Amino acid sequence: MSLTGAVPEPHVEDPFDDDLGRAAQRRRTVLWMGGLSAGLLVTVVLAVGIGAVGIDPGTVARIVGHHTLGSPADVTWTQAEDSIVWQVRLPRVLLGVVVGAALAVCGVALQAMVRNLLADPYLLGVTSGASTGAAAAILFGLGAGFGENALPASAFLGALAASAAVFVVARAGGRITSLRLLMAGVAVGYALYAATSFLIFAADSAEGARSVLFWLLGSLGLARWGTPLAIVVVVVALTLAALLLWSRRLDALAIGDETAHTLGVPPTRFRVQLLVVVSLCIGAVVAASGGIGFVGLVIPHVARRFVGAAHGRVVPVAALIGAIFLVWADVAARTLLEPRELPIGIITALVGAPFLLILVRRFHSAGV
Amino acid sequence: MIGADGVSFAYGDTLVLDGAHVTAAPGTVVGLIGPNGSGKTTLLRTLYGALAPKAGLVTLDETPVGELKPRELARRLAVVVQEGTGELPLTVTETVLLGRAPHLSTFQRHGRDDYRVAAASLERVGARHLAGRVFAGLSGGEKQRVLIARALAQQADHLLLDEPTNHLDIRYQHEVLQLVSRLDVTTVVVLHDLNLAARYCDELVLLDGGRVAAAGTPDAVLRPEVLEPVYRIGVQRIDTGDGVQLLFRPLDSVPEGATA
């Protein structure tokens, strides 16, 4: 006999029919997802309309509809409005959506992977690597072969090189543990930080140093229709899909290596898979938008407050919240000091840091 | 059936297991006993494949554990380990549902039946009322029962437990082991308390320095002349009408290496 005996046959009068609140849980999740999706749509339309030239949401919707669905066919807006919406702001807002979602879900994955709620996607040294690559491109013209994409291309290569280094250091002995991953990430991060500083120092160009600093603090200003944006969209979509499919494994890994193993999730192999996916995703995101802090750290906590800790719900909800948050942060970055543009990292940190403090207080009172 | 045949394991140069043998016949409860550092947990970890033995063979129903795919192993062998809970505030229901993971493909969500199995498992350990609570906020005894419920939700016909009575008061120690012994599942359990081992195990394996010092029925293993040299403590055995009871006292001898 086996434990199967513990389970009543489906046709028997079932004493467990209230299903542990499954229906209620589902309703709540559907409500959150529906509400946030609608919120994201509204966010996109409003954010595209906001700027030096204000454009009402109705016109925004018509222009986007005209370009994508061919409807309405009649042009009732000016050429200037058309190019502001379609050429300038929409790609930028779209990049914001994708980058925000990516940072948030990669933060979720990283926090499960190293079992530390203070982990963020930059922990793996990816940002530092991208920064070194970007600094080399800005100051010394590295990656000139990629033409106008020299900056994102060399940032991406820098990011990949850094994660490869973290991976090699952390893998010593055939296993990858949370602690080793954290330490390798920190060590590689500092080494590359030193390298970036050295490049800035060696180049001795005030203008170049300023560009590097601006890039380090993040900006969506490089967004335009084209291959780089397409690459980011595809990579982020694939990452999101992978993390959704891996949600139960993330739950198991977040509890502990031993538990994960006994539930059929080999911890080291799964960590390697996560590492590859997250590094590629963050590499692509950082290359396109620089180092935008705090989103990957804070948004996962917000999502968990809304829908609990199970990754099947946290991943999609965090993606939506991250997208909405980053688009509004970019609106603030574009408009607060008009006509000058603030690095978006300043906004996310300004909003994120107090938020994190509030969360920590709540955690404390909840005994977690 | 769970089998370990001549299993050795070393951390670096330190040999922790030295040719250990364990066999758990179908439906029996085998207790692993022995002093701290005798290799009980290491042996258990080789049984569920978290450690690959340096020598010897671990089998599940005659199949080498190393040849089973991770998910298949988890469908046939459930484990209750001593491990922290992580920082995520998962609920009890979510914790027990994880026991269904080995039965679901990557593309499947938890279905009605998975929730039903989870509810039945919680009911079985008397923890149904905890379903909505956050796991990390439970008491030690409640956590232990929920972890056993998760193991039940795996619906495996083999079960391993690493000191499941840790942190439990006396009543829960008996409740948990009574529950385990009535499951009729092939079980290997690491136990510190020899009186609990006497009452709830069909067979005992006594480890000492990574080797099997004695194996057999509780009646054969739990004897002063067997236990005293291994635990270095005085043992008095009382055969009551209700089974074997052991009493312990310090040995009068001065510890090795100490000066008078």
Side-chain angles (χ1 to χ4, degrees):
Chain A
M1 137 139 192
S2 78
L3 295 182
T4 323
V7 185
E9 294 299 318
H11 63 269
V12 180
E13 185 67 31
D14 188 350
F16 305 114
D17 216 23
D18 67 339
D19 71 5
L20 293 174
R22 172 169 173 258
Q25 180 69 263
R26 287 205 152 180
R27 268 198 305 278
R28 262 212 315 278
T29 308
V30 167
L31 277 178
W32 272 112
M33 296 288 295
L36 287 169
S37 303
L40 181 60
L41 198 65
V42 171
T43 292
V44 168
V45 172
L46 289 181
V48 170
I50 297 173
V53 178
I55 299 171
D56 69 278
T59 309
V60 170
R62 279 195 293 280
I63 294 174
V64 174
H66 176 76
H67 280 277
T68 51
L69 309 169
S71 145
D74 301 332
V75 176
T76 56
W77 49 88
T78 66
Q79 183 57 43
E81 284 174 329
D82 191 278
S83 71
I84 287 172
V85 167
W86 186 252
Q87 297 299 334
V88 180
R89 292 199 196 140
L90 190 64
R92 181 169 181 148
V93 168
L94 194 64
L95 183 65
V97 168
V98 173
V99 168
L103 290 173
V105 297
C106 288
V108 168
L110 257 293
Q111 289 175 2
M113 175 154 76
V114 300
R115 230 167 279 134
N116 188 321
L117 296 185
L118 283 177
D120 78 7
Y122 299 151
L123 193 79
L124 296 178
V126 177
T127 329
S128 334
S131 308
T132 311
I138 293 169
L139 300 168
F140 295 97
L142 186 80
F146 291 99
E148 60 171 339
N149 295 326
L151 178 55
S154 56
F156 185 61
L157 292 178
L160 289 194
S163 4
V166 169
F167 181 76
V168 169
V169 175
R171 199 175 157 73
R175 288 179 65 216
I176 296 185
T177 61
S178 313
L179 184 64
R180 232 186 270 161
L181 205 53
L182 274 167
M183 295 183 70
V186 170
V188 170
Y190 272 110
L192 289 167
Y193 177 72
T196 307
S197 306
F198 177 77
L199 287 179
I200 293 173
F201 180 77
D204 198 21
S205 142
E207 181 54 32
R210 206 179 129 78
S211 312
V212 174
L213 180 66
F214 190 84
W215 189 86
L216 285 181
L217 290 170
S219 167
L220 300 177
L222 289 175
R224 58 184 63 83
W225 297 121
T227 317
L229 181 60
I231 291 175
V232 177
V233 170
V234 170
V235 168
V236 172
L238 290 177
T239 304
L240 197 55
L243 294 179
L244 279 172
L245 292 176
W246 288 342
S247 56
R248 270 193 306 271
R249 298 187 207 184
L250 286 167
D251 289 343
L253 191 68
I255 293 176
D257 278 19
E258 210 72 8
T259 301
H261 173 90
T262 66
L263 294 172
V265 180
T268 291
R269 193 202 300 171
F270 183 44
R271 269 208 190 88
V272 172
Q273 293 170 337
L274 276 175
L275 210 59
V276 170
V277 167
V278 169
S279 300
L280 282 173
C281 179
I282 293 298
V285 161
V286 169
S289 62
I292 302 175
F294 266 98
V295 179
L297 173 61
V298 172
I299 300 298
H301 294 275
V302 179
R304 282 189 207 104
R305 283 214 73 84
F306 289 164
V307 292
H311 286 91
R313 300 192 301 275
V314 169
V315 169
V317 166
L320 288 167
I321 300 174
I324 293 172
F325 174 70
L326 201 70
V327 170
W328 285 116
D330 184 52
V331 168
R334 287 192 274 131
T335 54
L336 280 182
L337 291 186
E338 242 171 351
R340 288 184 62 198
E341 191 173 303
L342 273 171
I344 190 170
I346 293 179
I347 308 285
T348 55
L350 265 179
V351 179
F355 216 76
L356 189 65
L357 289 175
I358 294 169
L359 284 170
V360 169
R361 288 186 68 90
R362 291 250 177 104
F363 276 139
H364 180 71
S365 57
V368 176
Chain B
M1 183 149 108
I2 301 169
D5 195 8
V7 167
S8 298
F9 187 83
Y11 290 106
D13 292 334
T14 318
L15 198 62
V16 192
L17 280 180
D18 188 4
H21 289 265
V22 177
T23 308
T28 60
V29 177
V30 174
L32 288 183
I33 57 174
N36 288 336
S38 58
K40 302 185 295 290
T41 296
T42 304
L43 179 54
L44 202 73
R45 294 186 73 204
T46 64
L47 292 184
Y48 61 84
L51 298 176
K54 304 283 182 235
L57 190 63
V58 176
T59 55
L60 198 69
D61 291 336
E62 322 279 313
T63 312
V65 162
E67 287 176 13
L68 291 170
K69 294 212 167 87
R71 275 154 45 84
E72 192 190 348
L73 181 62
R75 281 195 293 270
R76 295 172 58 179
L77 176 73
V79 189
V80 176
V81 291
Q82 299 278 320
E83 185 167 60
T85 54
E87 294 187 41
L88 289 185
L90 288 172
T91 66
V92 166
T93 298
E94 287 157 357
T95 304
V96 175
L97 277 173
L98 276 178
R100 301 303 300 156
H103 295 274
L104 297 172
S105 80
T106 305
F107 294 93
Q108 269 178 309
R109 306 272 101 190
H110 289 124
R112 238 184 133 63
D113 283 344
D114 297 310
Y115 275 80
R116 195 181 283 115
V117 172
S121 306
L122 278 170
E123 184 75 30
R124 191 130 185 221
V125 299
R128 181 73 198 284
H129 60 290
L130 301 173
R133 299 262 304 273
V134 171
F135 178 75
L138 302 180
S139 74
E142 291 168 336
K143 276 184 188 162
Q144 204 65 43
R145 282 188 286 161
V146 170
L147 290 183
I148 292 175
R150 184 175 73 203
L152 297 185
Q154 278 176 256
Q155 296 185 311
D157 42 20
H158 301 82
L159 178 64
L160 303 178
L161 304 107
D162 191 1
E163 295 183 29
T165 54
N166 249 5
H167 311 301
L168 300 190
D169 69 27
I170 297 173
R171 190 183 122 220
Y172 279 135
Q173 292 182 6
H174 282 271
E175 267 191 23
V176 160
L177 289 179
Q178 207 168 20
L179 173 76
V180 168
S181 64
R182 285 177 184 168
L183 287 174
D184 208 12
V185 165
T186 312
T187 303
V188 176
V189 53
V190 171
L191 284 174
H192 260 307
D193 188 316
L194 300 183
N195 284 315
L196 290 174
R199 183 177 289 272
Y200 295 107
C201 296
D202 301 309
E203 301 264 335
L204 292 178
V205 174
L206 173 66
L207 289 174
D208 185 21
R211 295 168 195 240
V212 174
T217 62
D219 180 57
V221 174
L222 299 178
R223 290 173 181 277
E225 65 271 24
V226 177
L227 297 175
E228 281 180 354
V230 171
Y231 283 95
R232 294 165 184 238
I233 192 151
V235 178
Q236 186 189 348
R237 168 165 158 159
I238 304 168
D239 287 282
T240 69
D242 191 29
V244 172
Q245 283 288 310
L246 301 171
L247 295 175
F248 306 98
R249 63 176 189 289
L251 286 180
D252 294 334
S253 60
V254 179
E256 268 177 61
T259 48

